[in-house]
Amino acid sequence: KTHHYKWAVRYEFKSPDCYEKLAITIDGTTPGPTIMARQGDTIVVELKNELQMENVAVHWHGIRMFGTPWNDGTEGVTQCPIVPGDTFVYRFTLDKPGTFFYHGHYGMQRSAGLYGLIQVSVPNGVVEPFLYDEDRSIILNDWWHNSTYEQAIGLSSLNFRWVNEPESLLIQGRGRFNCSLAEFGGKCNQTNAECSPHIITVVPGKTYRLRIASVTSLSALNFEIEGHNMTIVEADGNYVEPFVVKNLNIYSGETYSVLVKADQDPSRNYWAAINVVSRKRTTPTGLAIFNYSPNPPLTPPPIAPSTGPPWNDTFSRFNQSLAIKARKGYTVPPPQTSDKSITLLNTQNKIDGYNRWAVNNVSLLLPATPYLIALKWNKTNAFNQSPAPETYDDYQNYDIHNPAANINATYGSSIYRFPFNSTVDVVLQNANMMKPNNSETHPWHLHGHDFWVLGYGLGKFDPVSDPMKYNLVDPIRKNTVPLHPYGWTALRFRADNPGAWAFHCHIESHFFLGMGVVFEEGVEMVPRLPTSVLGCGDTKRLRMPVKSGGSSLPSGFIYLSNLFVLLLLFLN
Ligand SMILES: O=C1O[C@H]([C@@H](O)CO)C(O)=C1O
């Protein structure tokens, strides 16, 4: 089945947390519409950029884009940005069931409100390995009152301004800022219906599959429903061994499904709460109401909401990561050996006085020509052709527990190129930031793939003994994984999806500051790119002279037809 959507992306005045600011909406809403479809269905989104003064691109997070890498929506990697007034048609197939989402992947537009859920059910006739009565979905976000422009300029100024902690946390696009904290010139209004809490209505006795996605720009979150246990059954579209928790830690870019039974006193409502973890918390708890029907939805629960576990309890978060295993009978075990292993040391650095993040001392600068296009069109000047570093120089002597002796890094645009179908291990290594006694959690997201999470550790990875402890039996498969403070995380994936794929920290400001890399595999198998990814407006239809792997038409013909199109454009 094919699902067609026509979306207009534009700025509107919105008050998701009662404070009015400009937000990026899809057809007037943030979060945008939820895509609901089945595995195997095709999604067609005609996305019109009505932002007036800004480009846009939308990434389909967790959808692997088999056969359509140019529709991954990653500006600078897989496509040119969509210019104001232009329409881009995303077309892709939902390769597996589960919980996914979409979000802006240009500049810092995600934190301006450009995001929404994708809910993919199993094909008709297929049963899932757990029972529930109904689905409920929520998408979690953090929210700032200053604009993404102020954030982006602050981050990229010599006089660095950090984005700081968010003003609010949003559940399904709704939060509540305390307007009485200051005089906001009429811009903050707690009676605005836009910021009344999200309601999750349940019928006593029923079991719900609550799908939870985190699209936060910065915050790691801890989610709980007052008085209710949650059984985790799905992570990033993969079934996991049922695992009961009271609190779920969820990092930016992750999705989970939990089963919740409405088995508490039905005469009242309960809080569903999110709290910041892993960074020193200044943002108030984000709240929704878990409403037992037929109680009035907005009746607040009689007790104060939980303020969550201590923000710096790294150990319990680390243990939750360790405890999640693939569901028996529903997983493909990883290849038992790999063809290659790379180590990616994450560091906070300075370049010419500017604050940056780097991987193996290289801070990614996205080239003007997106990688996939440069690779297909053999534009060797578009990015640095020498291979990206597979480890940190002198990794052995790098002290991850202290600020680096030399904090300077360099800009780079090199990529990692893997033979098609090879098996690749990636060891992510965390370290101290520029400030002493500081190391943050980084959620790393890989486009175009699921990887197996072979292991996590606290401290420095030991290339001899740690691989012997890898879980090669039932590791969970994911597309986003936390790298804990001062820790390491080891992944394995098959380079089996022809294309060019971003792999980056999902903290929006960290990727913006260069914390990412690009992987390529099998690009020679990618068919000729649709012209719509190559440019903008009418010039998208321009046929350019082909250097490699493109048209079968003689180049003289193409040259003449280009001249003809140019002439037409000129006459217009
Ligand atoms: O990139 C970051 O910068 C700040 C801080 O290190 C400097 O203000 C922070 O917490 C980050 O994650």
Side-chain angles (χ1 to χ4, degrees), residues 155 160 162 164-165 218 279 348 355 357 433-435 440 442 507 509-510 513:
L155 294 171
F160 180 77
W162 176 235
N164 293 325
E165 295 304 304
L218 176 66
R279 299 183 64 91
Q348 190 187 30
N355 268 35
W357 282 87
M433 298 162 69
M434 289 193 288
K435 198 166 132 202
E440 289 172 359
H442 302 283
I507 292 177
S509 44
H510 286 181
L513 293 171

Side-chain angles (χ1 to χ4, degrees), residues 82-125:
I82 311 164
V83 299
D86 211 355
T87 297
F88 185 90
V89 184
Y90 288 103
R91 174 187 283 271
F92 53 88
T93 302
L94 300 170
D95 55 277
K96 58 188 229 178
T99 308
F100 309 99
F101 56 99
Y102 59 85
H103 61 78
H105 217 300
Y106 175 74
M108 291 180 48
Q109 290 178 337
R110 196 173 91 217
S111 65
L114 181 51
Y115 66 95
L117 274 160
I118 305 175
Q119 186 174 314
V120 187
S121 25
V122 289
N124 275 322

